[in-house]
Amino acid sequence: MQSNFTFLQQEFPEIYREIADAEKHTFTAPRYAALLCRSTLEKVLFWLYKNDEDLELPYDTKLGALLHNESFKNILKPSMLMELDIVRLNGNNAAHGKTVKALDALQSLKNSFRFLTFLSKYYSENNPDISEFDEKVIPYGDTNDKNTKQLQALAEKLEEERAEAQKALKEQEKLAEENDLLRKQLEAQLQLIAERKEERFQEISLKQAIPELTSEHQTRLILIDLLLREAGWDKLREGREIEFEVTGMPLTTNPSGKGFVDYVLWGDNGLPLAVVEAKSTIHSASKGKHQATLYADCLEKSTGQRPIIFYSNGFETHIWDDTFYQDRKIQGFYTKEELQVLIERRFARKDLREFGVNTNIAGRYYQLEAIKRVAEHLVTTNQNKLKGTSRKALLVMATGSGKTRTAAAMVDMFTKCNWAKRILFLADRNALVTQAKNAFKEHLPHLSAIDLTKEKEDNGTRVVFSTYPTILNKIDSLKNEDERFYGVGHFDVIIIDEAHRSVYQKYQSIFNYFDCILIGLTATPKKEIDKNTYGLFEIEDDNPTYAYELNKAVADNYLKPPKAFKIPLKFPREGIVYDDLSQEDKIRFKELFGVQFGDENQVCNVNKSQINTW
């Protein structure tokens, strides 16, 4: 059987077999084909990380982390990285039993072809000839079948569209050559490739060697469609959600006063919840901010409701509710319910500074002062036209001074002032999760709560208690056939207990994923370069939102001064032999030390001097 991937057969036989199988099933079993494309991508990435000395395997070896690791992004053209994300997302949909259309599978196959061409061009010893991608070699099953004939007709149409896209691409390239700024960017990229790959990368232009099969604009829209679908926006219609026409645009921008919004996300009441503006990847995502604002103005004038603003260049997506907060980077899109809550919160939100704290929960003067400081910090940096960016606060409080009570009183404030509907409380040990949940149950019995390590989540839960690994695993789980359970906007507030531990390695991705207020509680903040508690909360070293430290607590007679006891400890005296640890301690070892002393496949022992230094 003919294949587009025969150039892999000699040097990469295992990869060839898998992607050729995907090609064979593209139209007859698209879900299976999309899954195989994702599996192929994963195999190639592990091969690259093993064989390319410039690539450093990240601590988190999930596909998303491998794709977006800085060392990998440095050797790849940005548009190709975006295409690989489409392969990943289509494969995820297939793995979770969601519908994958033949066109989705074909897109994954095309994107895989581009990436495998890159693999062969730069890493093959024999540098085999690679023909242009040809859809005609993909089998369609029974040629008498009605569906097959429709697919054949569709493929012919796609071939025509591809030819038109290539023609348009050549015209764009011609224009780009006349653009001095773009030419400099391309030259800088080629120089980077030359420096990293020496002679092998010096003579090849990635753009010329590996032609695009899908225009960059179309690739961006496909990726945005997939991200919207993950957030439950799976029924996007031309002329309604996509390319929606608005009137009232500035005449200097468009003499007709008309404009077309890339995406409008509508509420059940027919009012706009959000606009999404997509910009080219050669521009910063912020280039779409002004245009999106104009569209929001038009929709507000015609409907009476100002939508939330999203703008993206395919790599970076930003959210902006310009009635209160400054714009900020986000990992995806909000669900319909979450957007509706944001709209309603504009009118329902109360001033935190005017809230009367329940002193039965937290009544000591320093606890009240801590809550007051947090309220002032979150309100005064965001009020009126200032609209600051601060959504993070750090409380440094001595162990035993009542951090959990303070946190419970803050949650009471957030919920009653309509700043938060759902709260996530994180701790690094099951015992601390149980302890915190019991305390909240005592002080806030009206708020439904679950321990995610033991119980199943549902949409009605107000406070979720979890360890870091549990919530990290739950982020990727599905709410139903069409969407994630935990979207980026699911929680309004995350409270981190003992924020000096376990949050600087793979678990920091939790805080990058969720778009919410972040409150840290710690007795001993860290200031190391790679483990900086203050940096995590975007504040200056030694300048937390509020501090009530041990010496003050002792002076106030709330705590007793510590007494030192000399106790011989095994690890500081003898070091750690990884293979001698229990399974539980091995997991703890990796959480604490990360890759400092080796990776997952070859964990080194730690001698006593290293332990004492750590």
Side-chain angles (χ1 to χ4, degrees):
M1 184 190 86
Q2 283 185 303
S3 171
N4 285 295
F5 300 93
T6 51
F7 62 90
L8 299 166
Q9 199 165 9
Q10 183 176 349
E11 290 189 65
F12 304 98
E14 185 180 351
I15 292 171
Y16 167 74
R17 284 192 295 272
E18 190 140 336
I19 195 64
D21 197 20
E23 181 182 40
K24 184 171 67 175
H25 292 90
T26 299
F27 293 122
T28 56
R31 229 181 85 193
Y32 178 59
L35 196 60
L36 285 174
C37 287
R38 185 192 186 284
S39 174
T40 300
L41 171 59
E42 202 162 29
K43 281 185 171 64
V44 174
L45 286 176
F46 277 113
W47 186 93
L48 287 172
Y49 276 99
K50 181 179 179 180
N51 291 278
D52 189 332
E53 61 184 13
D54 291 328
L55 297 179
E56 297 179 12
L57 190 70
Y59 182 70
D60 184 358
T61 56
K62 291 181 180 177
L63 183 55
L66 295 176
L67 279 175
H68 295 285
N69 187 23
E70 284 301 319
S71 65
F72 178 70
K73 285 159 64 174
N74 286 339
I75 69 168
L76 209 64
K77 191 168 182 278
S79 61
M80 190 180 292
L81 182 66
M82 188 161 50
E83 291 175 2
L84 297 184
D85 226 17
I86 290 173
V87 175
R88 178 181 68 85
L89 291 168
N90 278 335
N92 287 350
N93 289 341
H96 291 307
K98 296 164 70 174
T99 301
V100 177
K101 298 177 182 178
L103 288 180
D104 297 329
L106 178 61
Q107 191 64 56
S108 288
L109 193 72
K110 285 182 174 182
N111 295 356
S112 299
F113 178 83
R114 280 246 296 161
F115 183 51
L116 293 169
T117 299
F118 166 84
L119 174 73
S120 183
K121 288 280 184 183
Y122 295 125
Y123 295 92
S124 171
E125 295 291 336
N126 300 325
N127 195 22
D129 293 332
I130 303 175
S131 302
E132 289 188 8
F133 187 86
D134 185 2
E135 291 176 22
K136 295 176 182 177
V137 306
I138 304 174
Y140 292 91
D142 184 0
T143 56
N144 293 319
D145 182 76
K146 182 180 178 180
N147 291 332
T148 298
K149 291 180 179 179
Q150 290 177 342
L151 285 172
Q152 287 176 321
L154 182 61
E156 291 172 3
K157 182 180 178 182
L158 286 170
E159 184 66 26
E160 293 174 5
E161 291 178 355
R162 185 177 71 85
E164 292 176 4
Q166 285 182 328
K167 182 180 178 182
L169 181 61
K170 289 179 180 178
E171 293 174 359
Q172 290 175 6
E173 289 173 350
K174 184 177 179 182
L175 290 172
E177 289 175 359
E178 299 170 2
N179 186 314
D180 184 64
L181 176 61
L182 180 58
R183 184 166 60 251
K184 287 180 180 179
Q185 291 175 338
L186 291 171
E187 288 172 352
Q189 184 181 18
L190 290 175
Q191 180 62 32
L192 175 63
I193 293 173
E195 291 173 357
R196 296 182 64 82
K197 296 300 172 189
E198 299 180 348
E199 296 181 359
R200 190 160 204 179
F201 279 63
Q202 287 175 0
E203 300 176 357
I204 301 177
S205 163
L206 180 59
K207 195 175 184 72
Q208 294 172 349
I210 309 173
E212 292 181 348
L213 299 176
T214 308
S215 70
E216 183 180 291
H217 174 74
Q218 189 62 31
T219 300
R220 279 188 294 109
L221 296 182
I222 290 171
L223 184 54
I224 290 174
D225 282 347
L226 284 166
L227 292 174
L228 285 169
R229 198 184 306 167
E230 279 194 344
W233 299 98
D234 58 342
K235 296 179 181 178
L236 303 177
R237 298 161 292 179
E238 290 285 344
R240 182 61 177 168
E241 285 79 17
I242 301 173
E243 292 293 322
F244 181 78
E245 182 178 332
V246 294
T247 57
M249 295 288 286
L251 298 180
T252 53
T253 304
N254 190 333
S256 69
K258 294 181 179 180
F260 291 88
V261 192
D262 286 333
Y263 298 87
V264 179
L265 307 179
W266 301 93
D268 292 333
N269 58 2
L271 297 177
L273 296 175
V275 296
V276 181
E277 172 68 7
K279 299 302 292 183
S280 169
T281 52
I282 65 171
H283 298 298
S284 165
S286 61
K287 291 282 186 180
K289 184 176 180 179
H290 177 65
Q291 186 80 359
T293 304
L294 296 178
Y295 290 145
D297 292 342
C298 294
L299 285 165
E300 182 180 17
K301 187 175 180 180
S302 63
T303 66
Q305 179 166 290
R306 186 166 188 79
I308 305 294
I309 294 169
F310 292 92
Y311 50 93
S312 172
N313 67 354
F315 300 114
E316 290 186 3
T317 299
H318 291 249
I319 185 175
W320 187 26
D321 180 0
D322 57 359
T323 65
F324 190 72
Y325 278 123
Q326 186 57 277
D327 63 316
R328 58 194 181 273
K329 192 186 294 188
I330 195 171
Q331 295 288 318
F333 294 100
Y334 274 51
T335 66
K336 182 184 291 187
E337 179 209 350
E338 291 160 0
L339 286 173
Q340 189 65 54
V341 169
L342 289 186
I343 297 290
E344 293 169 356
R345 197 167 284 159
R346 291 171 176 172
F347 311 101
R349 184 190 286 116
K350 299 175 185 177
D351 193 330
L352 296 176
R353 297 169 299 179
E354 298 176 2
F355 179 74
V357 176
N358 185 343
T359 54
N360 292 323
I361 302 175
R364 293 178 178 178
Y365 81 90
Y366 60 85
Q367 295 169 337
L368 296 173
E369 184 66 21
I371 297 167
K372 179 182 176 182
R373 293 284 186 87
V374 169
E376 289 175 346
H377 179 69
L378 295 177
V379 174
T380 57
T381 56
N382 293 293
Q383 65 178 348
N384 301 326
K385 295 298 181 182
L386 295 176
K387 292 194 280 288
T389 58
S390 179
R391 285 154 56 85
K392 300 179 179 181
L394 176 65
L395 300 181
V396 177
M397 299 176 67
T399 300
S401 60
K403 293 193 295 293
T404 305
R405 277 178 171 266
T406 305
M410 275 194 293
V411 167
D412 190 44
M413 174 180 70
F414 285 132
T415 54
K416 289 180 177 176
C417 289
N418 296 315
W419 279 58
K421 181 180 179 181
R422 301 188 187 101
I423 294 92
L424 174 63
F425 189 102
L426 288 175
D428 60 357
R429 296 202 303 273
N430 289 333
L432 293 177
V433 169
T434 302
Q435 178 182 316
K437 186 193 172 191
N438 290 339
F440 270 63
K441 187 176 180 180
E442 177 186 352
H443 301 305
L444 301 173
H446 61 287
L447 293 181
S448 58
I450 65 159
D451 178 346
L452 200 59
T453 64
K454 303 173 183 176
E455 303 169 81
K456 187 176 181 181
E457 168 66 303
D458 63 74
N459 259 332
T461 303
R462 301 294 299 277
V463 188
V464 175
F465 296 85
S466 176
T467 59
Y468 299 102
T470 300
I471 193 64
L472 192 62
N473 291 332
K474 292 287 185 179
I475 283 174
D476 283 332
S477 63
L478 295 180
K479 177 179 180 180
N480 54 42
E481 185 177 315
D482 298 318
E483 54 190 279
R484 293 178 185 271
F485 194 101
Y486 288 116
V488 296
H490 188 88
F491 294 108
D492 301 299
V493 176
I494 293 180
I495 297 174
I496 310 173
D497 190 26
E498 302 298 348
H500 60 283
R501 301 196 300 233
S502 302
V503 296
Y504 309 102
Q505 297 168 26
K506 66 178 180 180
Y507 297 131
Q508 189 165 350
S509 62
I510 297 169
F511 317 122
N512 295 334
Y513 177 77
F514 288 115
D515 178 52
C516 62
I517 293 170
L518 196 64
I519 308 292
L521 310 172
T522 183
T524 53
K526 290 180 177 292
K527 291 189 293 184
E528 291 106 1
I529 292 176
D530 60 336
K531 295 181 180 180
N532 190 307
T533 309
Y534 298 102
L536 177 64
F537 291 89
E538 299 173 358
I539 56 180
E540 296 178 8
D541 284 1
D542 300 315
N543 188 28
T545 310
Y546 179 73
Y548 186 74
E549 298 181 275
L550 179 62
N551 56 351
K552 180 62 175 170
V554 171
D556 288 343
N557 206 30
Y558 284 120
L559 295 176
K560 296 293 183 182
K563 294 181 180 179
F565 292 87
K566 186 175 181 181
I567 302 174
L569 299 174
K570 179 180 178 181
F571 289 163
R573 284 189 293 110
E574 300 179 10
I576 297 176
V577 179
Y578 181 78
D579 289 339
D580 292 345
L581 297 176
S582 67
Q583 193 59 36
E584 182 179 356
D585 280 343
K586 285 180 179 178
I587 294 171
R588 189 85 180 112
F589 177 95
K590 291 175 184 176
E591 289 178 357
L592 289 172
F593 295 108
V595 295
Q596 295 181 62
F597 304 111
D599 59 30
E600 301 235 6
N601 300 317
Q602 187 179 1
V603 181
C604 301
N605 298 330
V606 185
N607 62 44
K608 61 183 181 181
S609 64
Q610 289 174 310
I611 285 287
N612 287 320
T613 300
W614 177 82

